Amino acid sequence: MPRILHIGVGNFCRAHLADYTQDAGDWSICGVSLRSPGVRDGLKAQGFGYTLAIQGQEAKHIEVFDDVLVAPENPAAVLAQIVAPDVHVISITVTEKGYHLTPDNRLNRADPMIAEDLAGHGPHTLIGFLARGLANRTTPVTVLSCDNRNGNGETLRAAVLDFAEAAHLRIDQAIVSFPNSMVDRITPATTEALRKQTGDAMAVPTEPFREWVIEDSFAGPRPDWPDAQFVIDVAPHEMRKLRMLNAAHSMLAYAGTLAGFEFVHQAVGAEVLRNEARAVMSEAAQTLPPDVRHQAPAYAEALIERFDNPHINHSLRQIAMDGSQKLPYRIFDSIRERSADGAGSPALCKAVRAWLAFCREETAAARPLQDPLGAKISQLISSGAPDKALLELIGAEHLSAVILE
């Protein structure tokens, strides 16, 4: 049976890729956890099957995983799967911080974990595993990023090749492809109530809606994923989702938490925040390519309806994590393009200021920021640094005058 090697076995992978793959049939998935054994242990105890609780629909049993590897326990086993000839697709969901990039989307060779991988220890990181594994690959394989990044495939490819160059590794680029993709399905964290309701400790909650747009650039076989769209250019679809859905989500996460709300549906239920979410999406929509811009009004209304869903308890603090990694392409790109056209961005700038206020409030309350740059952000705030210094830290120094005016 052909196989997918999936790195990053969190809830989103199990609600999206695994659901599509089960519907496709005839393929199995070997998962990889880059950190802890928790998911592996939980799934292994029940034969690697689990319940996908789709709101408003009957619970669905997912049984496409055949194993889950834990990288820190056995790095060699992960590297062996990267070169395995029956693995035709290596898919990724490790969130933005798992790529270890600089603000300009290049591999951060100074990152301590990347530096350690380059020195030959481990590997520990996604990039280190891929570069060292692909250097020994002799059969075609597709490396498919499913993370929320602009040009996620291109970005991942550049990072892997940067690592390979620094480590003096040779990857046969003729047999490896890195298609771009756009994924969408709101998937909150699992609650104890859901575990009790389903009788499944590994149950995953999600919404009925799902979307997957993939660049049709596979190096070899792929599953016949139903409903997935295979296109020449993912960029317009990706921009629509990142700049509208994800930007509005980030705004609601920071402004909503500051207003005392816990979940997305509570925040968007407040008239002021609902109007701000609409304004963020409206400003972002004006930066979209013409072939998707006409879809923006209907898309925005559909998003508000999805955000309103009271049965999907999507935590604002979950969305608020890793803001330094998310804001550059969710919001800054839109502000930058609008400024170049001479347009103001009051709603988008207000969303960034909500992030700044959130960081300051968390630091004042002595709560650690859940962000790769959290310690640096808190240090700057504690030292009395102005908001401009925080924006400079995350690569927005040229926008600070616009954002803070």
Side-chain angles (χ1 to χ4, degrees):
M1 178 181 288
R3 301 169 75 229
I4 297 170
L5 181 68
H6 184 82
I7 303 175
V9 285
N11 272 15
F12 185 79
C13 150
R14 287 180 280 144
H16 193 271
L17 170 89
D19 187 30
Y20 273 95
T21 302
Q22 172 142 321
D23 287 350
D26 301 325
W27 284 66
S28 63
I29 302 173
C30 175
V32 176
S33 170
L34 289 176
R35 294 185 293 179
S36 68
V39 172
R40 187 275 312 275
D41 293 348
L43 290 176
K44 186 175 181 180
Q46 48 195 55
F48 295 104
Y50 62 93
T51 302
L52 183 61
I54 305 172
Q55 185 267 322
Q57 299 182 11
E58 185 176 353
K60 185 175 182 178
H61 188 66
I62 304 294
E63 47 188 2
V64 291
F65 284 93
D66 56 30
D67 199 3
V68 175
L69 307 176
V70 180
E73 292 181 357
N74 193 346
V78 178
L79 291 170
Q81 287 302 311
I82 292 175
V83 302
D86 64 338
V87 170
H88 299 290
V89 176
I90 301 172
S91 51
I92 321 289
T93 50
V94 295
T95 74
E96 296 84 352
K97 63 186 175 185
Y99 289 70
H100 301 276
L101 303 179
T102 60
D104 61 351
N105 273 349
R106 303 300 300 187
L107 180 68
N108 185 1
R109 298 186 186 187
D111 181 285
M113 293 183 69
I114 292 294
E116 190 171 354
D117 279 6
L118 285 171
H121 307 298
H124 306 286
T125 67
L126 164 71
I127 307 301
F129 272 108
L130 287 177
R132 295 198 179 279
L134 293 174
N136 293 310
R137 182 89 192 190
T138 59
T139 56
V141 68
T142 300
V143 183
L144 180 61
S145 171
C146 300
D147 281 304
N148 286 322
R149 299 203 72 101
N150 280 330
N152 53 10
E154 296 168 8
T155 299
L156 179 57
R157 177 181 180 275
V160 170
L161 294 181
D162 278 354
F163 185 102
E165 179 184 27
H168 307 293
L169 302 170
R170 181 186 175 277
I171 295 173
D172 185 354
Q173 297 183 55
I175 64 169
V176 185
S177 68
F178 291 82
N180 295 313
S181 74
M182 184 277 281
V183 298
D184 189 6
R185 193 171 211 179
I186 294 173
T187 305
T190 303
T191 63
E192 195 58 40
L194 180 65
R195 294 186 181 100
K196 291 179 180 178
Q197 176 189 335
T198 59
D200 184 349
M202 301 305 293
V204 175
T206 196
E207 63 174 338
F209 178 90
R210 67 179 188 179
E211 186 176 18
W212 200 0
V213 183
I214 311 170
E215 181 184 351
D216 197 0
S217 178
F218 283 71
R222 61 168 170 79
D224 184 17
W225 288 306
D227 305 326
Q229 302 175 60
F230 295 93
V231 300
I232 295 174
D233 185 10
V234 173
H237 306 272
E238 176 185 71
M239 287 175 65
R240 182 196 66 190
K241 192 245 181 175
L242 292 174
R243 296 189 183 189
M244 293 183 68
L245 185 156
N246 294 120
H249 252 174
S250 287
M251 183 283 294
L252 289 168
Y254 302 120
T257 300
L258 291 168
F261 296 115
E262 183 178 1
F263 300 115
V264 170
H265 70 269
Q266 295 171 337
V268 81
E271 185 177 1
V272 170
L273 294 181
R274 191 184 196 87
N275 290 338
E276 289 182 13
R278 290 185 187 278
V280 162
M281 291 190 284
S282 177
E283 289 178 5
Q286 294 167 30
T287 72
L288 298 179
D291 52 343
V292 294
R293 191 181 303 165
H294 71 280
Q295 303 171 359
Y299 184 64
E301 289 308 307
L303 289 179
I304 292 294
E305 184 176 343
R306 290 169 66 192
F307 294 171
D308 259 335
N309 188 339
H311 303 288
I312 298 293
N313 287 326
H314 202 179
S315 166
L316 294 171
R317 286 190 172 274
Q318 179 187 356
I319 299 167
M321 293 171 60
D322 307 332
S324 70
Q325 311 295 297
K326 296 173 178 177
L327 293 185
Y329 57 86
R330 291 186 177 193
I331 295 180
F332 294 166
D333 285 346
S334 295
I335 297 174
R336 189 175 291 111
E337 290 183 24
R338 289 176 62 83
S339 295
D341 292 336
S345 305
L348 290 163
C349 290
K350 189 173 183 179
V352 179
R353 293 196 298 272
W355 173 73
L356 292 167
F358 172 84
C359 291
R360 291 189 176 279
E361 182 164 299
E362 293 296 286
T363 300
R367 288 188 290 265
L369 286 166
Q370 302 301 307
D371 191 297
L373 298 180
K376 292 182 179 179
I377 293 169
S378 292
Q379 184 179 26
L380 283 171
I381 292 171
S382 298
S383 68
D387 287 343
K388 184 177 179 180
L390 300 180
L391 293 174
E392 183 177 353
L393 178 65
I394 64 174
E397 59 271 24
H398 301 304
L399 296 175
S400 60
V402 175
I403 292 169
L404 301 176
E405 68 180 7

